[in-house]
Amino acid sequence: MFKATIYVTLKESVLDPQGVAVRGSLQTLGYEGVKDVRIGKKIEVILEGSSREEAEAQVKEFSEKVLSNPVTETFTYELEEVVSCASQ
Amino acid sequence: MFKATIYVTLKESVLDPQGVAVRGSLQTLGYEGVKDVRIGKKIEVILEGSSREEAEAQVKEFSEKVLSNPVTETFTYELEEVVSCASQ
């Protein structure tokens, strides 16, 4: 059993309207030191795989094809072996 | 200048309908090894602060009060000093 943590973030060149809105809210609330906010996703996936290589290949594939939009987003991932779901 | 990375995730006991939907999609697409998916947020904040302690206090405060809902979510954060925005 493996646990993959995938971080999907907008490319630097892509405008992040959600981040702009949160930055505005924080500044309005008095956090004037806040200069920039960008919001991405953290996706935790528990998957079965016969080997680390197989699990990693699957994670790479579905992160690129399903979890992110390669036109506007990039992703990074971490993969760790877990003994059972209960151990996370 | 500091860069804070805040991870906001649903508490373990809270149902994650978005994660359930993504799990279903992945399984339908042939990734049958996928057993569980949970989706959270990764929020990057660039902020000015006269000291690390001051920046950290602000990050803790607005993460709890603004960026997360303490009833259903928990957060963790990392804080690093950056030389300028261009260096991120």
Side-chain angles (χ1 to χ4, degrees), chain B residues 7-64:
Chain B
Y7 302 100
V8 179
T9 47
L10 283 170
K11 290 181 182 171
E12 282 296 320
S13 55
V14 177
L15 184 71
D16 176 8
Q18 199 187 356
V20 172
V22 171
R23 185 189 65 197
S25 297
L26 288 173
Q27 288 173 342
T28 305
L29 289 166
Y31 301 103
E32 283 135 25
V34 172
K35 296 302 166 200
D36 193 28
V37 177
R38 291 188 71 84
I39 299 182
K41 271 173 283 190
K42 177 187 178 184
I43 306 171
E44 290 174 325
V45 179
I46 304 294
L47 74 163
E48 276 174 354
S50 55
S51 70
R52 192 183 176 87
E53 287 67 32
E54 193 209 329
E56 188 162 355
Q58 286 214 347
V59 169
K60 268 190 195 171
E61 193 179 278
F62 66 62
S63 294
E64 198 175 325

Side-chain angles (χ1 to χ4, degrees), chain A residues 3-9 40-47 58-60 62-64 67-68 74-79, chain B residues 7 22 26 37-42:
Chain A
K3 179 182 177 181
T5 308
I6 300 130
Y7 302 101
V8 179
T9 47
K41 271 173 282 190
K42 177 188 179 184
I43 306 170
E44 290 174 325
V45 178
I46 304 293
L47 73 163
Q58 285 214 346
V59 169
K60 269 190 195 171
F62 68 62
S63 294
E64 198 175 325
L67 301 181
S68 72
T74 55
F75 69 90
T76 57
Y77 66 90
E78 293 159 7
L79 187 69
Chain B
Y7 302 100
V22 171
L26 288 173
V37 177
R38 291 188 71 84
I39 299 182
K41 271 173 283 190
K42 177 187 178 184

Side-chain angles (χ1 to χ4, degrees), chain A residues 17-79:
Chain A
Q18 200 188 356
V20 172
V22 170
R23 184 189 66 197
S25 298
L26 289 172
Q27 288 173 342
T28 305
L29 290 165
Y31 301 103
E32 283 136 25
V34 171
K35 296 301 166 201
D36 193 28
V37 177
R38 291 187 70 85
I39 300 183
K41 271 173 282 190
K42 177 188 179 184
I43 306 170
E44 290 174 325
V45 178
I46 304 293
L47 73 163
E48 277 174 353
S50 55
S51 70
R52 192 183 176 87
E53 287 68 31
E54 192 209 329
E56 189 163 353
Q58 285 214 346
V59 169
K60 269 190 195 171
E61 192 179 279
F62 68 62
S63 294
E64 198 175 325
K65 291 192 180 169
V66 186
L67 301 181
S68 72
N69 173 355
V71 178
T72 56
E73 295 172 324
T74 55
F75 69 90
T76 57
Y77 66 90
E78 293 159 7
L79 187 69

